[in-house]
Amino acid sequence: MLLYAPDGTSPEGFLPDLSGRLRKKVQRQEVTRLQSVETWAVWQGRRVEVVKVAGGRASVQQWQWPVPDHPAARAIENGLWGAKVPIEELTEVVETVTEVPIAL
């Protein structure tokens, strides 16, 4: 299994992958708990998924067309747009943590 370190951290034993994210390969038996985290917010009146937060800015995205008429917004692929925005511009932030069952 591959574990990824949270952005902005440098835990022992983690090495950068080709994209620069820190990861560590571990045996399945070493994993005792697995969680999935989703964060959603409202930006410019649109419900968006928060995919990354770093340096006081959030990368957000939404599956909806057209791309908002805002200088920070850009098309990513068919129907998906994204933006890097100050975290202060996000409202109604909701983070959902889900336990992922681990097969023994």
Side-chain angles (χ1 to χ4, degrees):
M1 296 185 96
L2 288 177
L3 302 180
Y4 282 88
D7 289 337
T9 66
S10 299
E12 186 178 328
F14 283 71
L15 299 172
D17 64 11
L18 293 176
S19 70
R21 290 191 62 199
L22 295 177
R23 71 179 185 179
K24 178 179 181 180
K25 187 174 182 178
V26 298
Q27 296 298 314
R28 161 56 193 95
Q29 299 85 338
E30 296 179 67
V31 178
T32 58
R33 187 173 178 199
L34 190 59
Q35 296 177 319
S36 171
V37 180
E38 287 186 343
T39 305
W40 293 84
V42 174
W43 176 71
Q44 299 284 314
R46 300 169 186 263
R47 183 167 155 75
V48 294
E49 181 179 13
V50 180
V51 293
K52 183 177 182 178
V53 175
R57 298 185 67 78
S59 295
V60 299
Q61 65 184 27
Q62 183 187 53
W63 285 97
Q64 185 174 346
W65 211 250
V67 176
D69 185 22
H70 189 282
R74 73 210 181 291
I76 297 173
E77 61 181 83
N78 291 339
L80 179 66
W81 62 265
K84 289 185 181 177
V85 302
I87 57 173
E88 296 82 19
E89 293 184 10
L90 300 178
T91 61
E92 301 178 41
V93 178
V94 176
E95 182 176 88
T96 305
V97 179
T98 305
E99 290 287 330
V100 178
I102 300 176
L104 299 177

